[in-house]
Amino acid sequence: MDLVVERDYPTLSRAAADVVTDLLTVKPDARLVVATGETPLGLYRNLADRKTRGEIDTSRLRIFQLDEYLGLTSDDSRSLYRWMREVFLEPLAIGDHQVTRLPGDAANPSEACRAYDRAVEQAGGYDLAILGLGPNGHLGFNEPPSDADTPTRVITLTPETVHSNARYWGGEDRVPRQALTAGMKHLLAARHILLLVSGQGKKEILARTLEGPVTRELPASFLQRAQRVTVISDRDAMPTSPASLAGEV
Ligand code: PGA
């Protein structure tokens, strides 16, 4: 696992954009699974600027949705697909035909999850997983407990996640209790995982992710065993003395 500690959020975002840009240079048809959440927004803004300047070509990218609330259409203002479209797909001129959705409004959500996993397999897996770190150690909506080999599936959100997401919904009682999430199995098998972590509030969960026991009770701890992981954190989120860590700017 590579740890990169950046000075602050803007430098974290630029460093993450460099990782994605480097991948696009060598593999323009890369398969990306893409988080929503607040942490990657700076990365997406950087990529959008690079796209505007003609520095990256996104026309052959293939994008996979990471998670979605159960029961929402893709046009619902609260859907994660719509959020991804606004902050990532449209600014980067990525068409819907380049995206494999997790359809929250599917008639048979479990079958839709199986179809999603088949699509990931047919694509040869993810080249890059862009992930944030949940306050409870979830990746996507792989809530604790989640084993390392879980498929894409419907999951019940923990009270902690409902609480943390209430800010987007105007109150906890309005947050859906169930969601679809890309499974741990394919996420952990990504050829490269980029975990972005920012802010004091993530310090303790990041420490447990990096150094704690590997356990289904903290799904992100399985990253310790994944083949290639780059954690980019800002100083606020870094649990130990940053000076002791390689890669600090
Ligand atoms: P955040 O979300 O980037 O908004 O902190 C991360 C997560 O909950 O997975």
Side-chain angles (χ1 to χ4, degrees), residues 36-40 83 132-135 138-140 164-165 167-168 202:
T36 46
E38 287 179 311
T39 315
W83 190 0
L133 178 63
H138 71 200
L139 297 177
S164 145
N165 290 359
R167 65 192 193 275
Y168 306 125
K202 296 282 175 72

Side-chain angles (χ1 to χ4, degrees), residues 61 106 145 161 166 214 216:
L61 266 181
T161 295
V214 175
R216 63 206 292 263

Side-chain angles (χ1 to χ4, degrees), residues 214-226:
V214 175
T215 164
R216 63 206 292 263
E217 300 305 329
L218 202 166
S221 65
F222 287 114
L223 293 173
Q224 293 178 31
R225 295 183 182 159

